[in-house]
Structure formats: C-alpha cells, structure tokens
Amino acid sequence: MTYRYPNKLPFFQLFLRSSSITRNPIPFHKEGFSKHGSSFAIKPPFAKTVMLTRDAEITKHILQKNHRNYNKSKIQTKFLSKYVGKGLLTASGDYWLKQRRLIQPAFHKEKLQKLVVIMERTIQKQLENIPENQITDTYPIMNELAFHVVAKSLFNYSSDENTMHRLQKIIETLQDFIIREIRQPHKKWWYKMTGMIQKHMELVYESRSIIHKIIEERRKSNENHDDLLDMLLKAKYEDDGTSMTNDQLIDEILIFFVAGHETTANALTFTFHLLATNPEACQKVIAEIDTIEEGLSAMGKIEKLTYVKWCIEESMRLYPPAWITDRVAIEDDSFAGYHIEKGTMIGVSFYELHRNEQYWERPNDFIPERFSEESRKKNAAYYFPFGAGPRMCIGNGFAVYEMILTVYSLLKKYAIKSVEKDIQIAPLITLKPLGATLKFTKRM
C-alpha cells in the first residue's frame, strides 16, 4: 500500500529542539507551516507518522465528515482520564455517545436561562474584589471568577466557601501536574519513584470525595436548586430509564470544572487585554453597554450585547483557549490528496488555522466586525473556537453567556487601561495568557 503524506520534517530537527518545543511548540508549528504550507508531517523512528494541519477542509473532514474513523489520542483519553475520570472530554465510542445524549439537554438554551441568573449574581459578587487604581495581573481575577461561576452553576452552594476553595486548589494542582506528565513522558519513572504520581492520585481521591459528599447531600434533600447538579440527577438514559451513578456524576462534574473554568478565564483575560489595547473597539463596547436599561434580565442583556459578543468571538479567534486538538485514524483514510495509514495521529492547530492568511484578511489584527451578520457566514467555515462536529464543546453556550455578562458587568463599572501592548502566551493543555496586566479605574 502506498501512503501519501504532506512534506515530512526530518525527525532529528525535532529531536535537537525538543526542549524549546516542549516549552512552547507554537514557533515550531509556525515555522513548519510557513515552509510547507497548511500541513506537514513528522515520522518518528519506530512509530506512526504524525501530521500537523491548519487546513479548514482537513479539520472538517476528521472532526465532522468522517469523525467515526477518528478517536482522541491517549494524551486525552489515558493521561487526562487518570486524573479527572471518564467524562465527556475523555470518554470515547458508545459510552461517550450515551453520555452526550444524556447530558446535552442540560445545556439547551431554555435550561441555560435559569443558570444565567445564578451566573450574573456570581460575576457581580466576584467583581467586588477587583483592586482599583493599580497595575494588576488580570488572569488570577478571571480564574477566580470563572471557577466560582462553574461551582455556583453546578452546585448553587451558599455557605461552604472553604470546601470550594479546596476543590479549586486541587483541580489547579492536578492540571499543572497533568501538563508536566504529558510534556515530559521521559520523566515518568522519576515522578513515580519520588511519589509524585501517588501524591497527585491522593488529591484525585480527595476531590472525588468532596463531590461525592455534595451529591449525597443533594440526593437526600428535597429542595430544588435550579442548577446543573439538579438537571444531571434528573437526567434518564433513553434505553432503560436509569440515572447516572455517583461515580459517573463525579466524572462529569470534574470535567466541567477542568474544561469549564480555565478556558473561560483564559478567553476573558485575552478579551480584556485586546479591548484595552484597541481603544476604538473598547469605546464601541462601552457605548453598547450604556444603552442597556436598568432592570433588564440577564438573558435580555445577553441578547442585546451584539458588539460585545463580536469582540469575544474575535478574541477567541486570535487566542483560542483550546488551541490544538488531535485525532488518531482507526482505519486508512484519504482526503485533500493525501492517503494516510491507520494509527496516524493528526494534530489540528486552531491557533494557526485562525491566523491562516488563506482564510483571514489581516489575520493578526483584532477586527470584531468579522463577526457581523454579513461576514459571519463566510468566516464560519474557518472558525473553530469550541472544536467541531459531534464532539464540539457541550458548554459553548454556557461559556459565551458567562463571558458576555462578565464583559458587561466589568466595563459597566470600570475603565481599563493596558500597561503592556503585547501579551505572552503559554500553550499548555489550554492557551494561557502571561503578564496580562491592566489598571482598573472606577467609571465616573
């Protein structure tokens, strides 16, 4: 069988630069795409070919058109599931489909309308803690806010702040260690020998125990909380009418925390940085915010904040929190003039695809009008901030509502000024901002 791949980079080039690529693979990807076009390949010795792409048609082929021929790699299914369980993000096959069908209704628009009330109240409370008139790192503020929005929306908890802070600390510690283990597989023996893996597995058991206790208390309670946990407890499987077990609930809740708070914190930090460094767009946002009448419902605000939404979408084009994904071919496949062998891993760089000059004019500029009604349809074919196909992020509506309400609530109260024109990025599991400092001043 003759296989055809895009241009292959010599593996020794990758090997010689492995430490810098481990720290930040984006410059390596950018160089490969600029030399070889929208796709290139690497053939490691004694392993299947790895292909990297920023091609929209290939992306749609593997994530949508022929998605049944592709599984997530072990990086996502094996490494992540060890720490956060077998939830929607890490499951595959029939079990994933069964869970997706069960959970999807909890994220329909009419269900989210109940959650946005909790969401707005939580955002406003978190923004009370913003330090005024001083240079402040924005990310920790947004991270704290996003965690509390997820926690409140899941549990609508009222009193036990200490438990939630402990859960937050555990999840962030686990995320940091997951990144180290994925990026440095050669050190696995060291992590095992020094007890680091065991230490982090103990944190997994503690986090599961915390969530288990919350679920048990809710099962015994007759109160209605209108939160996600209520919806998940009431959800029934189509085939036998049963509900999720506690272990299944814990798996899904951990995934919501991991996938739902850091990504949103990243996107909000990038959005505020871009608004602060693009005064014209920021003025349009403020003008729109100032047209919203007092007393309008949270959902009513969301529906009227059109330009705010464009700014968030453009921010997620430039800095997609889920900046890369991968799939492994189950069987041989053909697309875009290539014929690939089963077992080939394909990495899709959404970061590079969203900046590909083939699809975007002035791709590195912040132009929210790209998402106006007349431009949106054209750009939709090249825009994947939440992935694509059946495995598109289930919480995309939740995240967009949260971000719109956060931008509204913060800029209603504060003027923002950027100290740094440029922002640094850390492409970890998510695309993380570094050194995004702002000055918040009360609006007159």
Side-chain angles (χ1 to χ4, degrees):
M1 176 69 71
T2 304
Y3 296 106
R4 186 166 185 270
Y5 285 92
N7 288 344
K8 290 182 182 175
L9 299 183
F11 182 73
F12 75 87
Q13 284 186 9
L14 183 74
F15 181 76
L16 291 173
R17 296 168 58 187
S18 59
S19 61
S20 66
I21 292 168
T22 296
R23 282 194 304 275
N24 182 355
I26 283 178
F28 169 71
H29 292 175
K30 193 180 289 292
E31 189 182 310
F33 290 130
S34 64
K35 278 185 183 175
H36 301 288
S38 285
S39 300
F40 65 93
I42 302 155
K43 177 67 178 78
F46 316 114
K48 299 280 181 163
T49 301
V50 175
M51 181 173 160
L52 281 158
T53 191
R54 60 172 185 178
D55 182 286
E57 284 307 310
I58 293 174
T59 300
K60 282 185 277 192
H61 178 85
I62 68 169
L63 298 183
Q64 290 177 321
K65 294 174 186 171
N66 198 25
H67 68 90
R68 288 186 177 84
N69 188 49
Y70 292 89
N71 280 336
K72 287 192 170 189
S73 74
K74 286 181 181 176
I75 292 170
Q76 297 186 64
T77 55
K78 185 180 173 185
F79 283 103
L80 277 175
S81 64
K82 182 166 69 175
Y83 297 108
V84 298
K86 196 178 176 185
L88 280 178
L89 185 69
T90 56
S92 58
D94 292 341
Y95 180 74
W96 167 82
L97 184 59
K98 187 178 178 183
Q99 290 300 98
R100 179 83 183 204
R101 284 176 176 163
L102 179 76
I103 295 166
Q104 185 78 56
F107 289 91
H108 285 165
K109 188 175 179 181
E110 61 273 16
K111 298 281 189 183
L112 290 179
Q113 285 179 344
K114 292 181 178 179
L115 289 179
V116 293
V117 179
I118 298 171
M119 202 183 275
E120 185 177 44
R121 203 163 50 232
T122 309
I123 289 164
Q124 289 171 349
K125 186 172 187 296
Q126 288 300 308
L127 293 179
E128 290 171 8
N129 304 321
I130 285 189
E132 297 173 17
N133 304 315
Q134 63 188 67
I135 295 166
T136 306
D137 187 355
T138 318
Y139 177 76
I141 296 167
M142 294 303 127
N143 192 43
E144 186 80 4
L145 180 147
F147 182 87
H148 280 269
V149 169
V150 172
K152 266 287 194 182
S153 301
L154 270 165
F155 305 136
N156 204 1
Y157 67 91
S158 55
S159 57
D160 197 0
E161 292 275 341
N162 290 337
T163 301
M164 284 300 119
H165 275 293
R166 178 60 187 157
L167 190 58
Q168 181 180 9
K169 181 67 181 166
I170 291 170
I171 287 169
E172 288 173 0
T173 304
L174 288 174
Q175 282 178 307
D176 288 344
F177 186 66
I178 289 165
I179 292 157
R180 287 168 68 185
E181 202 177 357
I182 289 171
R183 289 278 176 92
Q184 300 173 322
H186 56 285
K187 288 190 176 179
K188 189 173 179 181
W189 66 272
W190 173 252
Y191 296 147
K192 201 164 186 175
M193 196 179 79
T194 55
M196 288 178 75
I197 289 177
Q198 179 58 33
K199 182 185 116 183
H200 286 87
M201 288 310 295
E202 285 167 9
L203 290 178
V204 170
Y205 303 139
E206 186 183 347
S207 67
R208 295 184 74 87
S209 173
I210 290 169
I211 298 169
H212 184 271
K213 188 181 174 189
I214 293 168
I215 293 167
E216 279 302 299
E217 285 171 359
R218 182 67 62 86
R219 285 193 190 278
K220 290 170 189 169
S221 161
N222 292 319
E223 295 173 20
N224 188 23
H225 293 262
D226 280 337
D227 57 13
L228 280 167
L229 182 55
D230 270 7
M231 296 180 207
L232 295 174
L233 283 165
K234 290 170 187 171
K236 306 284 184 192
Y237 289 110
E238 292 172 357
D239 53 356
D240 59 8
T242 60
S243 303
M244 278 190 275
T245 64
N246 280 8
D247 276 341
Q248 288 175 309
L249 281 163
I250 292 165
D251 286 348
E252 299 302 347
I253 286 166
L254 278 171
I255 290 293
F256 293 151
F257 271 119
V258 169
H261 99 273
E262 188 177 278
T263 48
T264 306
N266 294 348
L268 282 168
T269 305
F270 285 122
T271 300
F272 285 120
H273 169 80
L274 287 163
L275 287 173
T277 52
N278 290 272
E280 192 179 320
C282 196
Q283 282 306 313
K284 287 181 183 178
V285 163
I286 290 164
E288 184 175 75
I289 285 168
D290 288 347
T291 66
I292 304 294
E293 57 268 31
E294 291 291 330
L296 191 65
S297 70
M299 208 66 192
K301 289 170 189 166
I302 288 166
E303 286 165 358
K304 289 197 169 189
L305 292 164
T306 307
Y307 192 77
V308 169
K309 185 166 183 269
W310 295 356
C311 289
I312 290 164
E313 289 172 317
E314 176 69 342
S315 168
M316 293 183 76
R317 180 189 70 82
L318 285 166
Y319 299 105
W323 69 280
I324 194 165
T325 193
D326 62 46
R327 293 293 187 270
V328 177
I330 299 167
E331 298 294 341
D332 291 3
D333 196 11
S334 298
F335 51 80
Y338 304 122
H339 184 58
I340 67 162
E341 186 181 7
K342 74 174 183 179
T344 298
M345 183 195 286
I346 303 175
V348 176
S349 173
F350 297 125
Y351 179 87
E352 288 292 337
L353 195 159
H354 285 175
R355 292 167 180 256
N356 190 338
E357 290 178 355
Q358 186 181 338
Y359 310 128
W360 307 93
E361 288 178 33
R362 294 163 57 196
N364 296 312
D365 291 351
F366 180 69
I367 308 170
E369 287 74 13
R370 295 182 207 272
F371 293 93
S372 64
E373 286 309 311
E374 51 270 30
S375 303
R376 180 181 294 275
K377 284 180 184 172
K378 175 174 77 85
N379 292 332
Y382 321 122
Y383 184 59
F384 305 95
F386 295 101
R391 294 202 73 134
M392 180 186 278
C393 172
I394 198 169
N396 59 346
F398 179 100
V400 170
Y401 290 169
E402 178 186 349
M403 288 189 278
I404 291 173
L405 287 172
T406 303
V407 172
Y408 167 82
S409 300
L410 191 145
L411 293 182
K412 177 101 177 142
K413 193 174 177 183
Y414 293 104
I416 55 173
K417 186 178 179 184
S418 176
V419 183
E420 302 287 340
K421 177 69 180 168
D422 296 319
I423 193 167
Q424 302 302 310
I425 55 174
L428 307 172
I429 292 176
T430 62
L431 190 68
K432 204 165 182 177
L434 299 175
T437 51
L438 292 177
K439 188 177 180 182
F440 300 91
T441 311
K442 272 263 175 70
R443 284 181 63 193
M444 303 305 289

